[in-house]
Each structure stands twice: as C-alpha cells, then as structure tokens.
Amino acid sequence: MSTNTADQAKKIRQGEELPQEVLQDFLQKELQLSGQLEVLQFPSGFSNLTYLLKLGDKEMVLRRPPFGAENIMKGHDMGREYKVLSLLQPYYDKAPKPLVYTEDKSIIGAPFYVMERVQGIILRANDKLDWEAGRIRQLNENFIDNLADLHNLDIEKTGLVAMGKPEGYVQRQVEGWCKRYDNAKTDEIGDMDYVMDWFVLHIPETKHNAFIHNDYKYDNVVLNLDEPTQIKAVLDWEMSTVGDQFTDFATMLAYTPEKTDPEYLRSFNVVGEMNREDILARYEEKVGKKVDNVVFHYAFALFKLGVIIQQIYYRYHKGYTQDPRFASLIQLVKDCALLSATAIRSGRIRGF
C-alpha cells in the first residue's frame, strides 16, 4: 500500500441512513450554511457511526451512537466527546475542531455532534505499507511520541481535569469492565473468567494521572497526505478521560500484535518495525517515567479490547444490527482472552 490517497466515505449501509431534510435544516440554521446536503458514511469502525457531510463547499463529519447501543451500556456520550474536543483546542493541535452538538433526538433519532473534516490518510487493519523500513520506523516513533505529548499535557491548566476522576481509577476500571463483560456475555470463555479473577487480586495503585485517549491506534489517527509519517489529527475521543496514563499506553500495546500472537489479533498489525518492548522503551524515554506493572496493564488492555468486541458482537447476536462484519467477532474475543491470559501466566508482554 502506497498510502497516497485520503480516507474515502462511501454509500451509507442499509439501516444506518440519516433523515437528510431535517438534518440539512438543522445545519443551515446552526452553522449559517446554505446548499443541498449530501451524506456519505465512513465504512470502517465498529462503534460510533461516522458520516461525511457535504453542504455547499463545506465538508464536515457527523458522529452518532450505533443503533442498539442503548440496550447494553451507557457509553457513546456524544456531548462528552464534543466537550473534550472543545477543551483540547487551545493546547493540542491534533484534535479536530468541533462545530455543533445537540441532544435533540427528533433530528436523527439520537444525540450527535459535527466536527470539521480533517483530510488525510487513515490506515486500516490489514493495510500493509510498501515503504522502506526507515520510514515505517519513523511513523512508529511519531505515533508513540504523539501519545506521549498527549500524556504530557497539564490537566489543570487545560481544564481537562474536569473530564475524569483519577483517584482509584484502575480499580474502577477493573470493576467496570468486568461488569460490562458480564452484561454483554454470549459464550463461555474460560480465559475471560481467569483474567477477570486475576485482575481483581492484582490491582495496582493509580499514580501517574494524565489525560488519556483510551483507544489510541493507527485507524484513529489521520496521517498527512504529503508526508504520511507525520500525524495530522487524532480521532474518536469517545472513551477519553483523566486516569492512569499507563493504561492508555497499554491500550496502544494491545493494538500492536506480533507474528506469534493469535491469528485474529494479527489483523490489527498495520505497521510493525518496532516490537512491544521497543515501543515500551521509546515511550518511557518520551514521558521520563518507567511503566510500572506493565504486564498487568497490557493484559488488562487486551481484556478491555475483548470486552469492546464482545459488546459489538452482542448487538449482532441479539439482532440489533445486521452488519455481516460482526458475525465472526466472537473468535476475536477469544483471542484477546487467550493473549491476556498468556501474558499473565508468563509475566511478559512478548516472546511467549
């Protein structure tokens, strides 16, 4: 893949259409725009739905919760994501500019917000780069450094401290994610039961508080069209909060599979000139801290990934969505559980 084209929106999936006339009226009034509204959909991603809006000469992105999400959890808070982007604007130039938010469900059937469109390249699962190793490593390093930049923001000065409750963060995470899994469970998976029991007994103290993205991966960043090793924007702030920065770092690790990892997880591997220990060393250098309890954080990040996928599979299992991409997701849940349990049993983050 040469990665010289921008991320493209496509025809809207059946059952996920938006009422264009009422949406057009809303946008024209709130943003003082004119013209005929055209709506397309960005086809990737399994959580919040993302649409491309074209109104006059303006291109924007609309984000709304997935259909059926209200049946299993309280997440997908569009207002919160809008506020995060607003707070980040003066301090972090990788956050897209938010334009308008509404809780009025009469417009499209759910709360939503609209932000500026950032043109660029988004790498997707199974994308392979035909670059020389040096350029791929440069992208890897920029990707790690950008997360470190986010974690190095002053949460008091930016006002981001109001977006979370850092005290006892890790314990609440363990309790909350275990509950989410139980609420969305469809199959018996022994490794999920094993890791949940282990996490409860090995919760580390929350020490290193920062503003964290919580879903930092390559298909949530926009690369510069002219120089794709450079990051232009970070997307999908749905789960961002204030908490232990090492949990956020570990989420990035969970999205960094290696050749010996379970088959379904290897599909996440977009670029891989750095292994998980290389990534750990680079991150520690950039934040000036040693990552304590790295095995716990890595294993828990894999478990969280498994829970997120389980929640998506639950919607498919219950018939809330007919998206055929969801049919085999239960195997990915099992692979997340297997790798999490393997890390715990071995006490390592790679080389099992």
Side-chain angles (χ1 to χ4, degrees):
M1 180 182 179
S2 61
T3 64
N4 57 359
T5 58
D7 195 47
Q8 298 297 316
K10 299 181 180 179
K11 182 179 178 181
I12 298 173
R13 286 189 292 265
Q14 185 176 357
E16 297 180 352
E17 297 86 357
L18 301 179
Q20 291 192 205
E21 185 175 345
V22 65
L23 178 59
Q24 176 179 295
D25 290 344
F26 171 81
L27 294 172
Q28 288 176 339
K29 178 182 178 181
E30 294 295 325
L31 300 178
Q32 289 80 52
L33 297 173
S34 61
Q36 187 72 27
L37 178 64
E38 179 183 355
V39 182
L40 297 170
Q41 186 176 32
F42 291 100
S44 298
F46 295 106
S47 187
N48 287 329
L49 302 180
T50 307
Y51 300 84
L52 174 63
L53 310 179
K54 297 181 180 180
L55 188 57
D57 59 358
K58 184 82 169 177
E59 289 195 353
M60 302 163 286
V61 172
L62 182 149
R63 297 259 294 166
R64 63 147 291 164
F67 295 90
E70 67 278 2
N71 292 287
I72 61 171
M73 54 184 166
K74 297 169 67 175
H76 308 286
D77 187 339
M78 298 295 97
R80 189 178 186 284
E81 193 169 343
Y82 180 84
K83 184 175 181 180
V84 164
L85 290 175
S86 300
L87 288 171
L88 283 170
Q89 286 304 298
Y91 304 102
Y92 183 70
D93 63 2
K94 305 297 191 298
K97 182 180 179 181
L99 300 175
V100 65
Y101 163 73
T102 182
E103 296 180 352
D104 185 351
K105 295 182 182 180
S106 70
I107 301 171
I108 66 168
F112 68 93
Y113 77 91
V114 177
M115 63 182 178
E116 67 172 359
R117 185 190 185 189
V118 180
Q119 290 272 8
I121 300 162
I122 298 179
L123 300 177
R124 303 298 184 185
N126 291 318
D127 282 349
K128 303 300 177 185
L129 300 179
D130 57 3
W131 300 354
E132 62 181 24
R135 289 195 75 211
I136 294 177
R137 187 178 182 91
Q138 183 62 60
L139 174 57
N140 292 166
E141 291 178 349
N142 289 341
F143 183 69
I144 299 163
D145 296 355
N146 183 60
L147 183 64
D149 289 343
L150 181 67
H151 292 169
N152 287 334
L153 289 176
D154 185 328
I155 58 175
E156 297 289 346
K157 179 181 178 180
T158 59
L160 290 164
V161 67
M163 301 308 300
K165 300 177 181 178
E167 187 173 343
Y169 175 78
V170 180
Q171 181 170 345
R172 291 197 309 277
Q173 286 285 291
V174 170
E175 294 170 352
W177 283 98
C178 288
K179 184 176 181 180
R180 290 182 184 96
Y181 177 70
D182 287 337
N183 289 341
K185 186 175 180 178
T186 57
D187 297 54
E188 292 295 331
I189 304 175
D191 284 330
M192 289 296 263
D193 296 333
Y194 167 76
V195 300
M196 286 193 293
D197 290 342
W198 188 88
F199 294 141
V200 170
L201 296 175
H202 296 84
I203 299 173
E205 182 183 354
T206 300
K207 296 180 182 178
H208 304 284
N209 295 319
F211 188 72
I212 59 180
H213 183 276
N214 257 335
D215 198 25
Y216 189 73
K217 54 183 178 175
Y218 278 101
D219 62 0
N220 275 337
V221 299
V222 181
L223 305 181
N224 191 303
L225 274 169
D226 298 323
E227 180 43 70
T229 64
Q230 303 298 316
I231 294 172
K232 191 174 181 180
V234 177
L235 309 176
D236 197 354
W237 296 87
E238 170 189 352
M239 296 192 293
S240 62
T241 189
V242 177
D244 193 316
Q245 68 188 75
F246 297 160
T247 64
D248 204 22
F249 166 74
T251 297
M252 177 174 62
L253 278 190
Y255 284 113
T256 310
E258 300 186 16
K259 293 179 180 179
T260 58
D261 290 349
E263 177 185 359
Y264 279 78
L265 277 173
R266 293 200 299 272
S267 67
F268 285 122
N269 196 13
V270 177
V271 287
E273 286 301 312
M274 300 175 71
N275 63 43
R276 287 190 286 264
E277 289 179 351
D278 294 335
I279 294 169
L280 173 63
R282 177 80 180 192
Y283 176 79
E284 289 180 334
E285 175 190 347
K286 292 300 176 180
V287 297
K289 301 173 184 176
K290 178 177 174 56
V291 177
D292 302 322
N293 303 293
V294 67
V295 171
F296 174 94
H297 290 302
Y298 172 60
F300 185 63
L302 285 165
F303 168 71
K304 288 194 298 181
L305 177 57
V307 175
I308 293 169
I309 298 164
Q310 177 65 53
Q311 291 176 318
I312 297 166
Y313 179 74
Y314 177 94
R315 301 204 317 266
Y316 177 84
H317 184 76
K318 292 294 185 180
Y320 299 134
T321 177
Q322 284 76 49
D323 192 327
R325 297 176 303 157
F326 298 171
S328 63
L329 286 181
I330 192 63
Q331 185 56 53
L332 187 50
V333 178
K334 293 177 180 178
D335 280 358
C336 287
L338 173 61
L339 193 56
S340 178
T342 301
I344 289 170
R345 292 181 176 120
S346 68
R348 299 195 298 272
I349 62 173
R350 68 180 303 268
F352 310 121

